[in-house]
Amino acid sequence: MFYNIYYKQVFRFAYYLLKDTSACREVVSNVFFSVWRSKASLTKIKSIEAYLYTTTRNEVQRYLHRNNDYKNVSIDEIPIQLEINEDETPERKLINEEIEAFVGQIIDELPEKCRAIFLMNRHEGLKNAEIAERLSISESTVRVQMKIAIEKITSQVKQQFPNLTFITLLCMLLG
């Protein structure tokens, strides 16, 4: 009965993440097997839907890692080639300047340590290990602070400029 109630939701979520029906079947099967194995502790769960979504997301990640379909790529590894367009209109230049000013404002509003780490990485070109050494903190702290900075910047820019493309945003962050 549990399977019949939640199968469609779990399958849809897995398909949203994988876009592959056969992979979804495997993931969904593993999710319900996992639920079956931990059935004794299900009574302690407050939101079964949240539990199923989390379990499905985790199982999708395991599936992708097992099948080598997933590769972590550092933002530093993404090749960016900016073309200088001599035909750029004054309006486009003004919009770009506005976006750059907005990103600068967001960076200025970041917490002090987070801002310092972000600027050392993006403007000084320092690697995580170099930043960690310079600030006497761990590399994992540097990674977490960079993640926080990038998430805050991208979320606020997306709110302010919803039509901005991902590549343009990346160029702003890396530039």
Side-chain angles (χ1 to χ4, degrees), residues 127-175:
K127 301 290 180 197
N128 290 352
E130 296 169 320
I131 296 169
E133 185 179 316
R134 187 183 280 186
L135 297 177
S136 300
I137 57 176
S138 70
E139 281 188 61
S140 64
T141 300
V142 173
R143 282 192 299 275
V144 168
Q145 291 298 313
M146 281 297 296
K147 182 179 183 222
I148 290 169
I150 290 170
E151 285 175 352
K152 284 184 178 184
I153 293 167
T154 54
S155 70
Q156 289 184 29
V157 169
K158 283 180 186 179
Q159 284 178 341
Q160 185 71 21
F161 302 97
N163 296 327
L164 189 65
T165 65
F166 178 70
I167 295 299
T168 305
L169 182 58
L170 271 177
C171 293
M172 297 268 165
L173 289 174
L174 298 174

Side-chain angles (χ1 to χ4, degrees), residues 5 7 19 27 30 58 62 65 74 79 100 122 126 145 166:
I5 293 171
Y7 175 81
K19 307 285 191 267
V27 165
N30 290 342
N58 293 341
R62 279 191 288 279
H65 284 291
S74 167
E100 287 175 16
R122 294 300 184 246
L126 298 177
Q145 291 298 313
F166 178 70

Side-chain angles (χ1 to χ4, degrees), residues 9-146:
Q9 285 177 291
V10 172
F11 187 88
R12 268 190 238 123
F13 184 60
Y15 188 80
Y16 171 77
L17 297 171
L18 290 171
K19 307 285 191 267
D20 179 354
T21 305
S22 63
C24 289
R25 287 187 187 115
E26 182 179 336
V27 165
V28 171
S29 174
N30 290 342
V31 167
F32 283 103
F33 181 70
S34 172
V35 170
W36 177 256
R37 281 187 309 190
S38 60
K39 65 183 179 255
S41 63
L42 290 178
T43 57
K44 299 174 188 167
I45 296 171
K46 293 180 182 173
S47 171
I48 195 68
E49 287 86 4
Y51 173 79
L52 285 172
Y53 284 122
T54 302
T55 304
T56 303
R57 184 195 67 220
N58 293 341
E59 189 56 43
V60 164
Q61 288 175 343
R62 279 191 288 279
Y63 174 85
L64 292 172
H65 284 291
R66 276 193 312 266
N67 294 295
N68 296 324
D69 291 338
Y70 182 72
K71 181 182 178 223
N72 285 327
V73 177
S74 167
I75 198 165
D76 295 326
E77 296 172 358
I78 298 173
I80 300 293
Q81 182 177 354
L82 296 175
E83 289 184 22
I84 298 173
N85 185 356
E86 293 177 9
D87 297 330
E88 188 173 30
T89 65
E91 179 184 30
R92 173 57 48 201
K93 284 182 182 180
L94 185 61
I95 291 170
N96 286 343
E97 289 172 6
E98 182 180 336
I99 294 169
E100 287 175 16
F102 185 70
V103 169
Q105 178 185 348
I106 297 168
I107 291 169
D108 289 342
E109 293 172 359
L110 290 172
E112 185 178 337
K113 183 184 244 181
C114 188
R115 180 178 60 246
I117 290 170
F118 181 81
L119 292 174
M120 284 181 193
N121 180 272
R122 294 300 184 246
H123 292 277
E124 295 179 37
L126 298 177
K127 301 290 180 197
N128 290 352
E130 296 169 320
I131 296 169
E133 185 179 316
R134 187 183 280 186
L135 297 177
S136 300
I137 57 176
S138 70
E139 281 188 61
S140 64
T141 300
V142 173
R143 282 192 299 275
V144 168
Q145 291 298 313
M146 281 297 296

